[in-house]
Amino acid sequence: MKKSKQLTLILLCILMMMASVLPVYAADARLSHGAIASCGFDIGSDGWSEITISYSGNTTSFTSFTVEAYIQKRTLGFIWTKVDNGEPNKTWVDSSTNLMDSFLFGLQLDNKGTYRAVYTLTFSGTGAPDDVIEDTIERTYE
């Protein structure tokens, strides 16, 4: 019994040492249909806000690009509510089949506060599932 405990302890130590030495690789966020995407959100001193999005697709598999974007305002310190931009569901939706393109969405903000742009970018193509990028950019209108 004593030998089996020692053997188990030795094996456990060896496994722990191997785990600390072996490299760990995170999944690479590589795009199948997109080459690059760039997003920006800014609010001017007059309250004019702009979301800018540009992209470039992979020349071998890209077929289309779709963007969905909206602006939210923080209320009560932690609640985010969509700002009315005149579009259905208060969300801008646009798409393109050009290999490279850019989009600009603008909105006059009524009140000062903290805002964020929320966007979803979808690269579609052949031979692999769609590439979907979701993110937010936060800015303050003072």
Side-chain angles (χ1 to χ4, degrees), residues 66-131:
T66 303
V67 57
E68 296 180 28
Y70 55 90
I71 296 175
Q72 293 179 317
K73 181 178 184 193
R74 185 167 56 197
T75 55
L76 301 174
F78 63 93
I79 298 172
W80 292 97
T81 56
K82 279 187 178 180
V83 176
D84 189 4
N85 61 5
E87 296 292 322
N89 199 28
K90 301 177 184 175
T91 303
W92 290 288
V93 179
D94 209 343
S95 62
S96 175
T97 56
N98 296 332
L99 188 60
M100 293 173 32
D101 211 339
S102 60
F103 300 90
L104 174 67
F105 305 110
L107 180 67
Q108 180 63 48
L109 301 175
D110 295 331
N111 302 307
K112 296 184 178 193
T114 302
Y115 293 84
R116 71 180 179 184
V118 180
Y119 57 88
T120 302
L121 313 177
T122 305
F123 288 92
S124 298
T126 58
D130 290 351
D131 299 324

Side-chain angles (χ1 to χ4, degrees), residues 3-4 12 15 17 20 30 36 39 43 50 53 55 60-61 69 77 79 86 97 99 104-105 108 115 129 142:
K3 283 213 181 247
S4 66
L12 187 58
L15 286 173
M17 288 177 49
S20 67
R30 184 172 173 180
I36 191 168
C39 303
I43 302 173
E50 289 185 343
I53 298 167
Y55 75 90
T60 58
S61 66
I79 298 172
T97 56
L99 188 60
L104 174 67
F105 305 110
Q108 180 63 48
Y115 293 84
E142 301 177 308

